[in-house]
Amino acid sequence: MAVGSLLLGAACLPAQAQIGSSTPVRIGVVGPFTGPSADFGVPMLNGIKLAVDEINAVGGYLGRPLELVVKDDAADPDQGRKVSQELLKEKVVAAIGFCNTGVAMKAIDLFQDTKTPLIVPCATGTAVTAKYPAPESYIFRVTGRDALQAPFMVEDIVKRGWDKVAIFADTTGYGEGGYNDVVAALAAKNLKPVHVSRFALGVKDLSAELAAARTAGAEVIYSYTVGQENAVIANGKKALGWKVPQVGPWTLSFPFFLDGAKDAAEGALMVQTFIAEPSNERRASFLSSYTRKYQRKVAVPMAAANAYDATYLLMYSFLGIRDGNLAGKAIKESLEGKMKTYYGVVSTYEKPFSVDDKDAITRNMLVIGMVKNGAITFAYPEDAKRNLIIQRKQ
């Protein structure tokens, strides 16, 4: 469906704009393709590659193939800044990337200062799209920011009758921002955490902190971290014989948690924009295409789907530039309102961005996922039914 729309979009361009050269359109990609965050960095990259292959199969941009310039930030902020500098020297017209909020925050000024549009498909830290005033910002995002995810999950916690919340958050930029968003969301419900534990990435044992949370009377653990630490929390609860639920952002859908915690992960709840169930034609097509191309199921479906949609949105912004001149300012302005509607996997994107809003995902697109038999499914049957109809931005 997306490919057909691209062909229609290209046909609508003036003849002189369609002639062009065959010089590739270079698009930067930066993310953690090795290291502790590769479990969702690689699916992000695969989603981008899948979209680019489809776009190039129908002629690319006015006969010009899209060419990816890929850089590995290894989930390290300093490395992320270094490879972003390298990327920008390679004459990319725009970029897609960043999985880790701390890495993104160390590098996004490079894209802003050079007026190179950046679409972020994975990093959810609220600050990523709040660092610059929206009208001047070249930083866009296609995933649910933490300021959306935290209140969404807190409302579910309250609905379930859990009012004694313990927060376990790492000390990265992601953990810090998420912690602040959860505290604010709890305060909006006149609640305060009964226990808070902060820890560095790589921690192997949180038994003492979990025991303290149990003593404080916690009824639920809200964890905010990116990888194996989520499993450390789940396994620690199991070792203590403490059967309180674990909830959190989308990181509870990652293999590091599911494989690392195994049966201790069962029943965990997390916020999702995309759950890998073929609930409609678009999603079924995406999932089957991904499996066929990579010969395996997608490890983190939300990362791959968000990145796939981000790539098409960037391509649609190109098609909105009537003279074919892919300058940063022109791409930015096209993303902000000159694009045709894109019927994507996560959403139907009708004006996903504007001069005053750089986040494509709104609250109505979120659902609560649940770990069941080692996989992610819908926590509520009504969400599964609602998911048959792709939601639009509100």
Side-chain angles (χ1 to χ4, degrees):
M1 294 179 70
V3 174
S5 298
L6 273 175
L7 287 170
L8 178 62
C12 294
L13 289 173
Q16 64 269 27
Q18 295 188 46
I19 296 173
S21 72
S22 60
T23 305
V25 178
R26 310 194 87 198
I27 298 170
V29 180
V30 58
F33 310 127
T34 61
S37 293
D39 60 338
F40 64 120
V42 171
M44 180 194 81
L45 178 59
N46 288 345
I48 294 168
K49 286 180 174 178
L50 178 60
V52 166
D53 285 352
E54 292 174 353
I55 292 166
N56 284 340
V58 296
Y61 172 65
L62 310 182
R64 300 173 63 188
L66 304 188
E67 180 182 283
L68 297 177
V69 181
V70 179
K71 301 290 183 180
D72 181 7
D73 64 36
D76 177 78
D78 291 331
Q79 174 73 0
R81 185 171 182 84
K82 177 177 176 288
V83 298
S84 295
Q85 290 170 328
E86 294 172 358
L87 194 70
L88 292 167
K89 289 178 181 177
E90 297 195 38
K91 308 289 185 187
V92 298
V93 300
I96 303 168
F98 294 111
C99 288
N100 305 89
T101 296
V103 181
M105 294 304 293
K106 188 71 180 281
I108 58 174
D109 64 298
L110 299 171
F111 297 90
Q112 181 70 17
D113 292 347
T114 58
K115 297 184 177 179
T116 304
L118 169 70
I119 303 182
V120 179
C122 289
T124 60
T126 303
V128 171
T129 47
K131 183 171 182 177
Y132 301 104
E136 293 108 47
S137 181
Y138 279 74
I139 314 303
F140 299 80
R141 177 160 47 194
V142 185
T143 192
R145 65 191 184 277
D146 290 334
L148 281 182
Q149 290 197 45
F152 192 74
M153 180 53 76
V154 166
E155 286 201 3
D156 191 66
I157 288 172
V158 171
K159 183 171 69 174
R160 291 170 182 266
W162 303 328
D163 58 8
K164 294 181 176 61
V165 182
I167 302 175
F168 279 63
D170 67 40
T171 52
T172 66
Y174 174 69
E176 180 67 19
Y179 165 75
N180 290 332
D181 285 330
V182 172
V183 169
L186 289 171
K189 299 293 184 180
N190 295 315
L191 297 174
K192 291 182 179 180
V194 297
H195 175 83
V196 172
S197 176
R198 305 299 304 276
F199 51 87
L201 291 185
V203 66
K204 302 299 183 185
D205 184 5
L206 289 167
S207 299
E209 291 83 353
L210 288 163
R214 181 171 61 179
T215 299
E219 299 168 325
V220 58
I221 291 179
Y222 201 133
S223 59
Y224 235 100
T225 187
V226 292
Q228 295 158 329
E229 298 76 22
N230 275 320
V232 170
I233 294 167
N235 290 327
K237 288 196 297 104
K238 180 181 177 181
L240 289 173
W242 190 29
K243 296 183 179 181
V244 295
Q246 184 173 349
V247 306
W250 73 302
T251 54
L252 287 178
S253 68
F254 291 6
F256 272 142
F257 176 61
L258 301 178
D259 298 340
K262 294 185 171 60
D263 63 317
E266 284 293 300
L269 302 169
M270 79 295 298
V271 182
Q272 298 277 274
T273 60
F274 177 78
I275 289 177
E277 296 186 10
S279 52
N280 56 53
E281 183 181 353
R282 288 186 232 166
R283 288 169 177 163
S285 176
F286 167 75
L287 291 168
S288 63
S289 294
Y290 188 103
T291 302
R292 187 166 57 249
K293 179 175 176 62
Y294 299 109
Q295 295 299 301
R296 60 181 179 274
K297 291 182 179 180
V298 56
V300 182
M302 188 171 144
N306 288 346
Y308 178 88
D309 279 0
T311 308
Y312 267 104
L313 286 172
L314 184 58
M315 181 62 190
Y316 270 54
S317 77
F318 296 167
L319 294 173
I321 299 171
R322 310 302 293 180
D323 63 2
N325 181 16
L326 300 182
K329 186 172 185 292
I331 296 171
K332 173 182 181 291
E333 290 176 350
S334 187
L335 285 167
E336 290 171 345
K338 295 182 179 180
M339 297 188 300
K340 295 174 67 66
T341 298
Y342 164 52
Y343 298 92
V345 174
V346 174
S347 175
T348 292
Y349 300 89
E350 185 178 21
K351 297 183 179 178
F353 308 110
S354 70
V355 171
D356 297 314
D357 185 2
K358 298 301 189 287
D359 281 284
I361 302 300
T362 47
R363 181 186 175 88
N364 63 302
M365 301 176 197
L366 303 179
V367 296
I368 301 293
M370 178 178 66
V371 180
K372 185 176 181 180
N373 298 323
I376 307 301
T377 188
F378 293 95
Y380 297 106
E382 56 267 35
D383 278 345
K385 292 179 181 178
R386 187 170 66 92
N387 202 54
L388 295 172
I389 301 172
I390 291 184
Q391 302 297 306
R392 298 184 182 222
K393 185 171 184 175
Q394 290 183 351

